Amino acid sequence: MIRFSPWGKPEHDFVLRAEDDVVEVRAAADDTVLETQSGIRSTYKGYDLTSPWSPLQVGYFIGYAMWNYLSTPFLLDYRSLLT
């Protein structure tokens, strides 16, 4: 699970649950789900460079980008240990 806080408003958090392809906006105070989207990956079908993204789509993209940015150096270093 990836969580960005704050998200959009100071009282909101964004949660990406990659294992079941769900994104949520939650209340920071009590973790109540305010907005949710399952199957978020499929919502990009038919998009081009000028298509607008919803806040949930932006969060999904940022979550996966951050995961890749943070994990890639370790993967590259691990590969160098194998050779």
Side-chain angles (χ1 to χ4, degrees):
M1 179 172 69
I2 297 172
R3 183 180 214 116
F4 294 110
S5 181
W7 183 257
K9 296 179 181 178
E11 64 272 9
H12 292 171
D13 293 348
F14 175 83
V15 176
L16 165 62
R17 295 189 343 238
E19 63 276 1
D20 49 355
D21 199 25
V22 173
V23 292
E24 300 170 334
V25 174
R26 296 184 182 186
D30 61 2
D31 225 24
T32 303
V33 176
L34 304 172
E35 188 177 357
T36 187
Q37 173 74 51
S38 61
I40 188 73
R41 185 177 291 204
S42 66
T43 65
Y44 293 98
K45 286 184 182 170
Y47 273 41
D48 61 20
L49 292 176
T50 61
S51 298
W53 286 10
S54 74
L56 293 177
Q57 289 172 316
V58 171
Y60 177 80
F61 178 81
I62 292 171
Y64 266 93
M66 288 299 294
W67 176 258
N68 286 318
Y69 298 154
L70 295 172
S71 65
T72 298
F74 296 100
L75 292 172
L76 294 173
D77 185 54
Y78 179 74
R79 186 173 177 207
S80 70
L81 295 174
L82 297 177
T83 57

Coordinates of all heavy atoms in Angstrom, one line a residue:
M1 N 0.8 -1.2 0.0 CA 0.0 0.0 0.0 C 0.9 1.2 0.0 O 1.9 1.3 0.7 CB -0.9 0.0 1.2 CG -1.8 1.2 1.3 SD -3.1 1.2 2.6 CE -2.1 1.3 4.0
I2 N 0.5 2.2 -0.8 CA 1.3 3.5 -0.9 C 0.3 4.5 -0.5 O -0.9 4.6 -0.9 CB 1.8 3.7 -2.4 CG1 2.8 2.7 -2.8 CG2 2.4 5.1 -2.5 CD1 3.2 2.7 -4.2
R3 N 0.7 5.4 0.4 CA -0.1 6.5 0.9 C 0.6 7.9 0.7 O 1.7 8.0 1.1 CB -0.4 6.3 2.4 CG -1.4 7.3 2.9 CD -1.6 7.0 4.4 NE -3.0 7.3 4.8 CZ -3.9 6.5 5.1 NH1 -3.6 5.2 5.3 NH2 -5.1 6.9 5.4
F4 N -0.2 8.8 0.1 CA 0.3 10.2 0.0 C -0.6 11.1 0.9 O -1.8 11.0 0.8 CB 0.2 10.7 -1.5 CG 1.1 10.0 -2.4 CD1 0.6 9.1 -3.4 CD2 2.5 10.2 -2.4 CE1 1.4 8.5 -4.3 CE2 3.3 9.5 -3.3 CZ 2.8 8.7 -4.2
S5 N 0.1 11.9 1.7 CA -0.7 12.7 2.6 C 0.1 14.1 2.7 O 1.3 14.1 2.9 CB -0.7 12.1 3.9 OG -1.4 12.9 4.8
P6 N -0.6 15.2 2.4 CA -2.0 15.3 2.1 C -2.2 15.1 0.6 O -1.3 15.1 -0.2 CB -2.3 16.8 2.4 CG -1.0 17.5 2.2 CD 0.1 16.5 2.6
W7 N -3.5 15.0 0.2 CA -3.8 14.8 -1.2 C -5.0 15.7 -1.6 O -6.1 15.5 -1.2 CB -4.2 13.3 -1.5 CG -4.5 13.0 -2.9 CD1 -5.7 12.9 -3.5 CD2 -3.5 12.9 -4.0 NE1 -5.6 12.7 -4.8 CE2 -4.2 12.7 -5.2 CE3 -2.2 12.9 -4.0 CZ2 -3.6 12.5 -6.4 CZ3 -1.5 12.8 -5.2 CH2 -2.3 12.5 -6.4
G8 N -4.7 16.7 -2.4 CA -5.7 17.6 -2.8 C -6.1 18.7 -1.8 O -6.1 19.8 -2.0
K9 N -6.5 18.2 -0.6 CA -6.8 19.0 0.5 C -6.0 18.5 1.7 O -5.7 17.4 1.8 CB -8.3 18.9 0.8 CG -9.2 19.5 -0.3 CD -10.7 19.3 0.1 CE -11.6 19.8 -1.0 NZ -13.0 19.7 -0.7
P10 N -5.7 19.4 2.7 CA -5.0 19.0 3.8 C -5.6 17.9 4.6 O -4.9 17.1 5.3 CB -4.9 20.3 4.7 CG -5.1 21.4 3.7 CD -6.0 20.9 2.7
E11 N -6.9 17.8 4.6 CA -7.6 16.7 5.4 C -7.8 15.4 4.6 O -8.5 14.5 5.1 CB -8.9 17.3 5.9 CG -9.9 17.6 4.8 CD -9.8 19.1 4.3 OE1 -8.9 19.8 4.6 OE2 -10.7 19.5 3.6
H12 N -7.2 15.3 3.4 CA -7.4 14.1 2.6 C -6.1 13.4 2.4 O -5.0 14.0 2.2 CB -8.0 14.4 1.2 CG -9.4 14.9 1.3 ND1 -10.1 15.4 0.2 CD2 -10.3 14.9 2.3 CE1 -11.3 15.7 0.5 NE2 -11.5 15.5 1.8
D13 N -6.1 12.1 2.3 CA -5.0 11.2 1.9 C -5.3 10.4 0.7 O -6.5 10.1 0.4 CB -4.6 10.2 3.0 CG -4.1 10.9 4.3 OD1 -3.8 12.1 4.3 OD2 -4.0 10.1 5.3
F14 N -4.3 10.1 -0.1 CA -4.5 9.2 -1.2 C -3.9 7.8 -0.9 O -2.8 7.8 -0.4 CB -3.8 9.8 -2.5 CG -3.9 8.9 -3.7 CD1 -5.0 8.8 -4.5 CD2 -2.8 8.0 -4.0 CE1 -5.0 8.0 -5.6 CE2 -2.9 7.2 -5.1 CZ -4.0 7.1 -5.9
V15 N -4.6 6.7 -1.2 CA -4.1 5.4 -1.0 C -4.1 4.6 -2.3 O -5.2 4.5 -2.9 CB -4.9 4.7 0.1 CG1 -4.5 3.3 0.3 CG2 -4.8 5.5 1.4
L16 N -3.0 4.0 -2.6 CA -2.9 3.1 -3.7 C -2.7 1.7 -3.2 O -1.7 1.4 -2.5 CB -1.8 3.4 -4.7 CG -1.3 2.4 -5.7 CD1 -2.5 2.1 -6.7 CD2 -0.1 2.8 -6.4
R17 N -3.7 0.8 -3.4 CA -3.5 -0.6 -3.1 C -3.2 -1.4 -4.3 O -4.2 -1.9 -5.0 CB -4.8 -1.1 -2.4 CG -5.1 -0.4 -1.1 CD -6.2 -1.1 -0.3 NE -7.1 -1.9 -1.0 CZ -8.4 -1.7 -1.0 NH1 -9.0 -0.7 -0.5 NH2 -9.2 -2.6 -1.7
A18 N -2.0 -1.5 -4.7 CA -1.6 -2.1 -6.0 C -1.9 -3.6 -6.1 O -2.2 -4.0 -7.2 CB -0.1 -1.9 -6.2
E19 N -1.9 -4.3 -5.0 CA -2.2 -5.7 -5.0 C -3.6 -6.0 -5.5 O -3.8 -7.1 -6.1 CB -2.0 -6.4 -3.7 CG -2.9 -5.9 -2.5 CD -2.4 -4.6 -1.9 OE1 -1.4 -4.1 -2.2 OE2 -3.1 -4.2 -0.9
D20 N -4.6 -5.1 -5.3 CA -5.9 -5.4 -5.9 C -6.4 -4.3 -6.8 O -7.6 -4.2 -7.1 CB -6.9 -5.7 -4.8 CG -6.9 -4.7 -3.6 OD1 -6.0 -3.8 -3.6 OD2 -7.7 -4.8 -2.7
D21 N -5.4 -3.4 -7.3 CA -5.7 -2.4 -8.3 C -6.8 -1.5 -7.9 O -7.8 -1.2 -8.6 CB -6.0 -3.1 -9.7 CG -5.9 -2.2 -10.9 OD1 -5.1 -1.2 -10.8 OD2 -6.6 -2.4 -11.9
V22 N -6.7 -0.9 -6.7 CA -7.7 0.0 -6.1 C -7.0 1.2 -5.7 O -5.9 1.2 -5.1 CB -8.4 -0.7 -4.9 CG1 -9.3 0.3 -4.2 CG2 -9.2 -1.9 -5.4
V23 N -7.6 2.4 -6.0 CA -7.1 3.7 -5.4 C -8.3 4.3 -4.6 O -9.5 4.1 -4.9 CB -6.7 4.6 -6.5 CG1 -5.4 4.1 -7.2 CG2 -7.8 4.9 -7.6
E24 N -7.9 5.0 -3.6 CA -8.9 5.7 -2.7 C -8.4 7.0 -2.2 O -7.2 7.3 -2.1 CB -9.1 4.8 -1.5 CG -9.6 3.4 -1.7 CD -9.5 2.5 -0.5 OE1 -8.7 2.8 0.4 OE2 -10.3 1.6 -0.5
V25 N -9.4 7.9 -2.0 CA -9.1 9.1 -1.3 C -9.8 8.9 0.1 O -11.0 8.5 0.2 CB -9.7 10.4 -2.0 CG1 -9.6 11.6 -1.1 CG2 -9.0 10.6 -3.3
R26 N -9.0 9.1 1.2 CA -9.5 8.9 2.5 C -9.4 10.2 3.4 O -8.6 11.0 3.1 CB -8.7 7.8 3.2 CG -8.9 6.4 2.5 CD -8.1 5.4 3.3 NE -8.2 4.1 2.7 CZ -7.7 3.0 3.2 NH1 -7.1 3.0 4.4 NH2 -7.8 1.8 2.6
A27 N -10.3 10.2 4.3 CA -10.2 11.3 5.3 C -9.0 11.0 6.2 O -8.9 9.9 6.8 CB -11.5 11.4 6.1
A28 N -8.1 12.0 6.4 CA -6.9 11.8 7.2 C -7.2 11.6 8.6 O -6.5 10.8 9.3 CB -6.0 13.0 7.0
A29 N -8.3 12.2 9.1 CA -8.6 12.1 10.5 C -9.0 10.7 11.0 O -8.6 10.2 12.0 CB -9.7 13.1 10.9
D30 N -9.9 10.1 10.2 CA -10.4 8.8 10.7 C -10.3 7.7 9.6 O -10.9 6.6 9.8 CB -11.9 8.9 11.1 CG -12.8 9.4 10.0 OD1 -12.3 9.6 8.9 OD2 -14.0 9.6 10.3
D31 N -9.7 7.9 8.5 CA -9.4 6.9 7.5 C -10.7 6.5 6.8 O -10.7 5.4 6.1 CB -8.7 5.7 8.1 CG -7.6 5.2 7.2 OD1 -7.1 6.0 6.4 OD2 -7.2 4.0 7.2
T32 N -11.8 7.3 6.8 CA -13.0 7.0 6.1 C -12.7 7.1 4.6 O -12.1 8.1 4.1 CB -14.1 8.0 6.5 OG1 -14.3 7.9 7.9 CG2 -15.4 7.7 5.8
V33 N -13.2 6.2 3.8 CA -13.1 6.2 2.3 C -14.0 7.2 1.8 O -15.3 7.1 2.0 CB -13.3 4.8 1.7 CG1 -13.2 4.9 0.2 CG2 -12.2 3.9 2.2
L34 N -13.5 8.3 1.1 CA -14.3 9.3 0.5 C -14.6 9.1 -1.0 O -15.7 9.4 -1.5 CB -13.7 10.7 0.7 CG -13.3 11.1 2.1 CD1 -12.5 12.3 2.1 CD2 -14.6 11.2 3.0
E35 N -13.7 8.5 -1.7 CA -13.8 8.2 -3.1 C -12.9 7.0 -3.4 O -11.8 6.8 -2.8 CB -13.3 9.4 -3.9 CG -13.5 9.3 -5.4 CD -13.1 10.6 -6.1 OE1 -12.6 11.6 -5.4 OE2 -13.2 10.6 -7.3
T36 N -13.4 6.1 -4.3 CA -12.7 4.9 -4.6 C -12.9 4.5 -6.0 O -13.9 4.9 -6.6 CB -13.1 3.7 -3.7 OG1 -12.2 2.6 -3.9 CG2 -14.5 3.3 -3.9
Q37 N -11.9 3.8 -6.6 CA -12.0 3.3 -8.0 C -11.2 2.0 -8.0 O -10.0 2.0 -7.7 CB -11.3 4.3 -8.9 CG -11.2 3.9 -10.4 CD -12.5 3.8 -11.1 OE1 -13.2 4.8 -11.1 NE2 -12.9 2.7 -11.7
S38 N -11.9 1.0 -8.4 CA -11.2 -0.3 -8.6 C -11.0 -0.5 -10.1 O -11.7 0.1 -10.9 CB -12.1 -1.5 -8.0 OG -13.3 -1.5 -8.7
G39 N -10.0 -1.3 -10.4 CA -9.7 -1.5 -11.9 C -9.2 -0.2 -12.5 O -9.5 0.1 -13.7
I40 N -8.4 0.6 -11.7 CA -8.0 1.9 -12.2 C -7.2 1.8 -13.5 O -7.3 2.7 -14.3 CB -7.3 2.6 -11.1 CG1 -7.0 4.1 -11.4 CG2 -6.0 1.9 -10.7 CD1 -8.2 5.0 -11.4
R41 N -6.4 0.8 -13.6 CA -5.6 0.7 -14.8 C -6.4 0.7 -16.1 O -6.0 1.3 -17.1 CB -4.7 -0.6 -14.8 CG -3.7 -0.7 -15.9 CD -2.9 -2.0 -15.7 NE -2.0 -1.8 -14.6 CZ -0.9 -2.4 -14.4 NH1 -0.5 -3.3 -15.3 NH2 -0.2 -2.2 -13.4
S42 N -7.6 0.1 -16.1 CA -8.4 0.0 -17.3 C -9.0 1.3 -17.6 O -9.5 1.5 -18.8 CB -9.5 -1.1 -17.1 OG -10.4 -0.6 -16.1
T43 N -9.0 2.3 -16.7 CA -9.6 3.6 -17.0 C -8.8 4.4 -18.0 O -9.2 5.5 -18.5 CB -9.8 4.4 -15.8 OG1 -8.6 4.8 -15.2 CG2 -10.7 3.7 -14.8
Y44 N -7.5 4.0 -18.3 CA -6.7 4.7 -19.2 C -6.9 4.3 -20.7 O -6.4 4.9 -21.6 CB -5.2 4.5 -18.9 CG -4.8 5.1 -17.6 CD1 -4.7 4.4 -16.4 CD2 -4.4 6.5 -17.5 CE1 -4.3 4.9 -15.2 CE2 -4.0 7.0 -16.3 CZ -4.0 6.2 -15.2 OH -3.6 6.8 -14.0
K45 N -7.7 3.3 -20.9 CA -7.9 2.8 -22.3 C -8.5 3.9 -23.2 O -9.5 4.6 -22.8 CB -8.8 1.6 -22.3 CG -8.1 0.3 -21.8 CD -9.0 -0.9 -21.9 CE -8.3 -2.1 -21.4 NZ -9.1 -3.2 -21.2
G46 N -7.9 4.1 -24.4 CA -8.4 5.1 -25.3 C -7.9 6.5 -25.1 O -8.2 7.4 -25.8
Y47 N -7.1 6.6 -24.0 CA -6.5 8.0 -23.8 C -5.4 8.3 -24.7 O -4.7 7.4 -25.2 CB -5.9 8.0 -22.3 CG -7.0 8.4 -21.3 CD1 -8.3 7.9 -21.3 CD2 -6.6 9.2 -20.3 CE1 -9.2 8.2 -20.4 CE2 -7.6 9.6 -19.3 CZ -8.8 9.1 -19.4 OH -9.7 9.4 -18.4
D48 N -5.2 9.6 -25.0 CA -4.1 10.1 -25.8 C -3.4 11.2 -25.0 O -3.7 11.4 -23.8 CB -4.5 10.5 -27.2 CG -5.5 11.7 -27.2 OD1 -5.6 12.4 -26.2 OD2 -6.2 11.9 -28.2
L49 N -2.5 11.9 -25.6 CA -1.7 12.9 -24.9 C -2.5 14.1 -24.4 O -2.1 14.8 -23.5 CB -0.6 13.4 -25.8 CG 0.5 12.4 -26.1 CD1 1.5 13.0 -27.1 CD2 1.2 11.9 -24.8
T50 N -3.7 14.3 -25.0 CA -4.5 15.5 -24.6 C -5.7 15.1 -23.7 O -6.4 15.9 -23.3 CB -5.1 16.2 -25.8 OG1 -5.9 15.3 -26.5 CG2 -3.9 16.7 -26.7
S51 N -5.8 13.8 -23.3 CA -6.9 13.4 -22.5 C -6.7 13.8 -21.0 O -5.6 13.7 -20.5 CB -7.0 11.8 -22.5 OG -7.3 11.4 -23.8
P52 N -7.7 14.4 -20.4 CA -7.6 14.8 -19.0 C -7.6 13.6 -18.1 O -8.4 12.6 -18.3 CB -8.8 15.7 -18.8 CG -9.8 15.2 -19.8 CD -9.0 14.7 -20.9
W53 N -6.9 13.7 -17.0 CA -6.9 12.6 -16.0 C -7.6 13.1 -14.8 O -7.6 14.2 -14.4 CB -5.4 12.3 -15.6 CG -4.6 11.6 -16.6 CD1 -4.9 11.3 -17.9 CD2 -3.3 11.0 -16.3 NE1 -3.9 10.6 -18.5 CE2 -2.9 10.4 -17.6 CE3 -2.5 10.9 -15.3 CZ2 -1.7 9.8 -17.7 CZ3 -1.3 10.3 -15.4 CH2 -0.9 9.7 -16.6
S54 N -8.3 12.1 -14.1 CA -9.0 12.4 -12.9 C -7.9 12.4 -11.8 O -6.8 11.9 -11.9 CB -10.0 11.3 -12.6 OG -9.3 10.1 -12.2
P55 N -8.2 13.0 -10.6 CA -7.2 13.0 -9.5 C -6.8 11.5 -9.1 O -5.7 11.3 -8.7 CB -8.0 13.7 -8.4 CG -8.9 14.6 -9.1 CD -9.4 13.8 -10.3
L56 N -7.7 10.6 -9.2 CA -7.4 9.2 -8.8 C -6.4 8.6 -9.8 O -5.5 7.9 -9.5 CB -8.7 8.4 -8.8 CG -9.6 8.7 -7.6 CD1 -10.9 7.8 -7.7 CD2 -9.0 8.5 -6.3
Q57 N -6.6 9.0 -11.1 CA -5.6 8.5 -12.1 C -4.2 9.1 -11.9 O -3.2 8.4 -12.1 CB -6.1 8.8 -13.5 CG -7.3 8.0 -13.9 CD -7.9 8.4 -15.3 OE1 -8.1 9.6 -15.5 NE2 -8.2 7.5 -16.1
V58 N -4.2 10.4 -11.6 CA -2.9 11.0 -11.3 C -2.2 10.4 -10.1 O -1.0 10.1 -10.2 CB -3.2 12.5 -11.0 CG1 -1.9 13.2 -10.5 CG2 -3.7 13.3 -12.2
G59 N -3.0 10.1 -9.1 CA -2.4 9.4 -7.9 C -1.9 8.0 -8.2 O -0.8 7.6 -7.8
Y60 N -2.6 7.3 -9.0 CA -2.2 5.9 -9.5 C -0.8 6.0 -10.2 O 0.1 5.3 -9.9 CB -3.3 5.3 -10.4 CG -2.9 4.0 -10.9 CD1 -3.1 2.8 -10.2 CD2 -2.5 3.8 -12.2 CE1 -2.8 1.6 -10.7 CE2 -2.2 2.6 -12.8 CZ -2.3 1.5 -12.0 OH -2.1 0.2 -12.5
F61 N -0.8 7.0 -11.2 CA 0.5 7.1 -11.9 C 1.6 7.5 -11.0 O 2.7 7.0 -11.1 CB 0.3 8.2 -13.0 CG 1.5 8.5 -13.8 CD1 1.9 7.6 -14.8 CD2 2.3 9.5 -13.5 CE1 3.0 7.9 -15.6 CE2 3.5 9.8 -14.2 CZ 3.8 9.0 -15.3
I62 N 1.4 8.5 -10.1 CA 2.5 8.9 -9.2 C 2.9 7.8 -8.3 O 4.1 7.7 -8.1 CB 2.0 10.2 -8.4 CG1 1.9 11.4 -9.4 CG2 3.0 10.5 -7.3 CD1 1.2 12.6 -8.7
G63 N 2.0 7.0 -7.8 CA 2.4 5.9 -6.9 C 3.3 4.9 -7.6 O 4.3 4.5 -7.1
Y64 N 2.9 4.5 -8.9 CA 3.8 3.6 -9.6 C 5.1 4.2 -10.0 O 6.1 3.6 -10.0 CB 3.0 3.0 -10.8 CG 2.4 1.7 -10.5 CD1 1.0 1.7 -10.1 CD2 3.1 0.5 -10.5 CE1 0.4 0.5 -9.8 CE2 2.4 -0.7 -10.2 CZ 1.1 -0.7 -9.8 OH 0.5 -1.9 -9.5
A65 N 5.1 5.5 -10.4 CA 6.3 6.2 -10.7 C 7.3 6.2 -9.5 O 8.5 5.9 -9.7 CB 6.0 7.6 -11.2
M66 N 6.8 6.6 -8.4 CA 7.6 6.6 -7.2 C 8.2 5.3 -6.8 O 9.3 5.2 -6.4 CB 6.8 7.2 -6.0 CG 6.5 8.7 -6.1 SD 8.0 9.7 -6.2 CE 8.7 9.4 -4.5
W67 N 7.4 4.2 -6.9 CA 7.9 2.9 -6.6 C 9.0 2.6 -7.6 O 10.1 2.0 -7.1 CB 6.7 1.9 -6.8 CG 7.2 0.5 -6.6 CD1 7.5 -0.4 -7.6 CD2 7.6 -0.1 -5.4 NE1 8.0 -1.6 -7.0 CE2 8.0 -1.4 -5.7 CE3 7.5 0.3 -4.0 CZ2 8.5 -2.3 -4.7 CZ3 7.9 -0.6 -3.1 CH2 8.4 -1.9 -3.4
N68 N 8.9 2.9 -8.8 CA 9.9 2.6 -9.8 C 11.2 3.4 -9.5 O 12.3 2.9 -9.6 CB 9.5 2.8 -11.2 CG 8.5 1.6 -11.7 OD1 8.8 0.5 -11.4 ND2 7.5 2.0 -12.3
Y69 N 11.0 4.7 -9.3 CA 12.1 5.6 -9.0 C 12.9 5.1 -7.7 O 14.1 5.2 -7.7 CB 11.7 7.0 -8.8 CG 11.0 7.7 -9.9 CD1 10.1 8.7 -9.7 CD2 11.2 7.3 -11.2 CE1 9.4 9.3 -10.8 CE2 10.6 7.9 -12.3 CZ 9.7 8.9 -12.1 OH 9.1 9.5 -13.1
L70 N 12.2 4.7 -6.7 CA 12.9 4.3 -5.5 C 13.5 2.9 -5.6 O 14.5 2.6 -4.9 CB 11.9 4.4 -4.3 CG 11.4 5.8 -4.0 CD1 10.3 5.7 -3.0 CD2 12.5 6.6 -3.5
S71 N 12.9 2.0 -6.3 CA 13.4 0.6 -6.3 C 14.4 0.3 -7.4 O 15.3 -0.6 -7.2 CB 12.2 -0.4 -6.4 OG 11.6 -0.2 -7.7
T72 N 14.4 1.0 -8.5 CA 15.3 0.8 -9.6 C 16.8 0.8 -9.2 O 17.6 -0.1 -9.6 CB 15.0 1.7 -10.8 OG1 13.7 1.5 -11.2 CG2 16.0 1.5 -11.9
P73 N 17.3 1.8 -8.5 CA 18.7 1.7 -8.1 C 19.1 0.5 -7.3 O 20.2 -0.1 -7.6 CB 18.9 3.0 -7.2 CG 17.8 3.9 -7.6 CD 16.7 3.0 -8.0
F74 N 18.2 0.0 -6.5 CA 18.5 -1.3 -5.8 C 18.5 -2.5 -6.7 O 19.4 -3.4 -6.5 CB 17.6 -1.5 -4.6 CG 17.7 -0.4 -3.6 CD1 16.8 0.7 -3.6 CD2 18.7 -0.4 -2.7 CE1 16.9 1.7 -2.6 CE2 18.8 0.6 -1.7 CZ 17.9 1.7 -1.7
L75 N 17.6 -2.5 -7.7 CA 17.6 -3.6 -8.6 C 18.9 -3.6 -9.5 O 19.5 -4.6 -9.8 CB 16.4 -3.5 -9.5 CG 15.0 -3.7 -8.8 CD1 13.9 -3.4 -9.8 CD2 15.0 -5.2 -8.3
L76 N 19.3 -2.4 -9.9 CA 20.6 -2.3 -10.7 C 21.8 -2.7 -9.9 O 22.7 -3.4 -10.4 CB 20.7 -0.9 -11.2 CG 19.7 -0.5 -12.2 CD1 19.8 1.0 -12.6 CD2 19.7 -1.3 -13.5
D77 N 21.8 -2.3 -8.6 CA 22.9 -2.7 -7.8 C 22.9 -4.2 -7.5 O 24.0 -4.9 -7.5 CB 22.9 -2.0 -6.4 CG 24.1 -2.3 -5.6 OD1 25.2 -2.1 -6.1 OD2 23.9 -2.7 -4.4
Y78 N 21.8 -4.8 -7.3 CA 21.7 -6.3 -7.1 C 22.2 -7.0 -8.3 O 22.9 -8.0 -8.2 CB 20.2 -6.7 -6.8 CG 20.0 -8.1 -6.6 CD1 20.4 -8.7 -5.4 CD2 19.4 -8.9 -7.6 CE1 20.3 -10.1 -5.2 CE2 19.2 -10.3 -7.4 CZ 19.7 -10.9 -6.2 OH 19.5 -12.2 -6.0
R79 N 21.8 -6.5 -9.5 CA 22.3 -7.1 -10.8 C 23.8 -7.1 -10.9 O 24.4 -8.1 -11.3 CB 21.6 -6.4 -12.0 CG 21.9 -7.1 -13.2 CD 21.2 -6.5 -14.4 NE 21.6 -7.2 -15.6 CZ 21.5 -6.7 -16.8 NH1 21.1 -5.5 -16.9 NH2 21.9 -7.4 -17.8
S80 N 24.4 -6.0 -10.4 CA 25.9 -6.0 -10.5 C 26.5 -7.0 -9.5 O 27.7 -7.4 -9.8 CB 26.4 -4.5 -10.2 OG 26.2 -4.2 -8.8
L81 N 25.9 -7.3 -8.5 CA 26.4 -8.3 -7.5 C 26.4 -9.7 -8.1 O 27.2 -10.6 -7.7 CB 25.6 -8.3 -6.2 CG 25.7 -7.0 -5.4 CD1 24.7 -7.1 -4.3 CD2 27.1 -6.8 -4.9
L82 N 25.5 -10.0 -9.1 CA 25.4 -11.3 -9.7 C 26.4 -11.6 -10.7 O 26.7 -12.7 -11.1 CB 24.0 -11.5 -10.3 CG 22.8 -11.4 -9.3 CD1 21.5 -11.5 -10.1 CD2 22.9 -12.5 -8.3
T83 N 27.0 -10.5 -11.3 CA 28.0 -10.7 -12.4 C 29.4 -10.7 -11.9 O 29.7 -10.3 -10.8 CB 27.8 -9.6 -13.5 OG1 27.9 -8.3 -12.9 CG2 26.5 -9.8 -14.1

